[in-house]
Amino acid sequence: MRTVPELEKRLSEPSAELAADLARLDGDILVLGVGGKMGPSLAKLAKRGAEAAGVKKRIIGVSRFSSGPLQQELEQAGIETLQADLLNDKALNALPDVPNVIYMAGNKFGTTGKEYFTWAMNAYLPGRVAEKYRNSRIVSFSSGNVYPLTPISLGGASEEHPAGPIGEYAQSCLGRERVFEYFSRENGTPVVNFRLNYAIDLRYGILLEVASAVNEGRPVDLNMGQVNVIWQGDANEMAIRSLLISDSPAVTLNVTGPETVSIRWLAERFGEGLGKTPVFTGVEKDTALLSNASKAHKLFGYPRVSLRQMIEWTLEWVEHGGETLGKPTHFQERSGAF
């Protein structure tokens, strides 16, 4: 893959399992916050999956759509779009009632200095959405950041591990989960709190950041020496399929790849592919932000795209100067300041 259209086609390619689940799922799908990094490909994946299943299903994407051609792009892909500021009660209440809601709205980067906005988006707004869609299934995107840094030997925090968010962004993510959990219990709303880390496509993500640093001769930071990654298409597919496992009380689900991935090892592999010697800074610690996603893998199977495949695609993308979003993950951050 060398072009954005090729990438978008790959990201929105449905599996037979997704098509089968969409055939079983009654009703249309509303994607709140469709304008983020993952929203457009998720909406397209849902649309293509419904078509593959031979079922008529409206996929509706909601965003501010404040700039760029995204709204037109989604409409051309057969996705209905609605322009709305979700923090505006009038706009929120005017949205259609839909049986299935995927909640992707939120705020992370720029939290420092605007903590009030992050809490409004991540903890206040979920309560308004939960009330509006009390009779719907809801899959709410959350983050592995709700966990504390754990020993590498643990192999990642599972859903049974106590939350321990570091910093206000992570705290607000846990706030979002608790608010959805409250309304799930109060109203009997089926909910999944979808704890994701870290999704990648070729325009952003940990693999791109490490490969670009190696290619440009910049130091690779080892302070967060181990990570989890998952192909964005696989993460989006699991999110859509999670509508069928939503329940009350709310279900908690970790979503990521099966490996604990060494940043040093990644840099060395990219160095081999690019013919360059990686430069490192910092030292690996004995703790990291890691998740155990074995529950999701039991439910949905292992991700279709392997780590080695992601590495190969990223190498080709970087070598040919593929488009990037300029949105670093800040995966190296250990103090929770985003």
Side-chain angles (χ1 to χ4, degrees):
M1 288 183 289
R2 299 184 183 181
T3 68
V4 170
E6 289 173 332
L7 172 60
E8 290 284 352
K9 183 177 180 182
R10 176 77 66 168
L11 287 169
S12 62
E13 185 177 289
S15 68
E17 292 78 10
L18 174 63
D21 277 359
L22 283 168
R24 293 169 52 208
L25 183 72
D26 61 289
D28 301 326
I29 299 174
L30 180 73
V31 183
L32 298 177
V34 76
K37 289 185 294 187
M38 297 180 66
S41 62
L42 182 144
K44 293 174 186 176
L45 177 63
K47 184 66 177 178
R48 291 181 65 188
E51 290 171 350
V55 295
K56 290 186 177 181
K57 200 177 292 292
R58 295 166 67 206
I59 312 299
I60 306 165
V62 180
S63 174
R64 291 187 181 93
F65 293 116
S66 53
S67 62
L70 177 60
Q71 189 169 13
Q72 181 181 3
E73 175 189 321
L74 290 174
E75 293 278 358
Q76 289 173 346
I79 295 144
E80 298 178 36
T81 64
L82 294 170
Q83 192 169 7
D85 178 356
L86 295 175
L87 283 173
N88 183 304
D89 272 355
K90 184 177 179 180
L92 176 62
N93 290 327
L95 295 178
D97 291 327
V98 176
N100 303 289
V101 176
I102 298 180
Y103 182 85
M104 307 183 80
N107 188 64
K108 179 177 182 179
F109 303 118
T111 291
T112 301
K114 290 186 68 177
E115 291 83 357
Y116 55 88
F117 179 71
T118 296
W119 280 93
M121 285 297 298
N122 293 355
Y124 164 76
L125 180 57
R128 307 300 299 142
V129 169
E131 284 279 51
K132 162 74 175 172
Y133 291 104
R134 61 194 300 157
N135 297 316
S136 302
R137 303 178 190 90
I138 300 175
V139 172
S140 169
F141 270 67
S142 185
S143 170
N145 286 90
V146 300
Y147 293 118
L149 303 181
T150 56
I152 305 303
S153 60
L154 184 65
S158 69
E159 291 86 353
E160 295 82 7
H161 197 285
I166 301 172
E168 291 212 38
Y169 162 68
Q171 291 163 9
S172 71
C173 288
L174 184 59
R176 173 173 49 210
E177 290 192 14
R178 298 301 190 223
V179 169
F180 272 121
E181 181 182 1
Y182 169 79
F183 284 102
S184 175
R185 291 175 180 270
E186 187 74 7
N187 299 330
T189 304
V191 170
V192 175
N193 282 315
F194 192 83
R195 292 178 176 173
L196 173 65
N197 65 303
Y198 279 97
I200 74 154
D201 76 14
L202 303 181
R203 293 163 294 187
Y204 79 92
I206 292 173
L207 268 61
L208 175 67
E209 291 172 34
V210 174
S212 297
V214 172
N215 190 47
E216 297 164 12
R218 293 183 284 107
V220 176
D221 191 337
L222 297 176
N223 282 305
M224 190 74 80
Q226 291 78 23
V227 295
N228 303 126
V229 296
I230 184 171
W231 179 244
Q232 186 195 110
D234 287 323
N236 279 340
E237 176 159 319
M238 290 184 187
I240 298 167
R241 295 181 69 191
S242 288
L243 287 163
L244 284 171
I245 67 158
S246 60
D247 204 354
S248 174
V251 174
T252 299
L253 190 67
N254 290 348
V255 177
T256 193
E259 302 93 352
T260 295
V261 185
S262 160
I263 294 296
R264 183 184 294 274
W265 178 85
L266 272 181
E268 290 170 347
R269 300 292 75 74
F270 285 128
E272 290 171 359
L274 295 165
K276 299 185 178 182
T277 302
V279 178
F280 298 103
T281 185
V283 178
E284 293 98 333
K285 308 296 190 296
D286 58 4
T287 61
L289 182 69
L290 296 168
S291 294
N292 177 331
S294 56
K295 180 178 175 181
H297 300 155
K298 177 185 177 183
L299 289 166
F300 305 124
Y302 286 108
R304 288 191 296 161
V305 178
S306 69
L307 176 61
R308 291 278 185 168
Q309 182 65 79
M310 287 186 272
I311 290 172
E312 289 179 14
W313 285 343
T314 302
L315 270 170
E316 184 178 17
W317 195 262
V318 169
E319 284 180 310
H320 291 88
E323 179 181 318
T324 64
L325 298 180
K327 295 181 177 180
T329 61
H330 299 283
F331 73 89
Q332 309 93 335
E333 179 57 51
R334 298 180 68 88
S335 63
F338 293 102

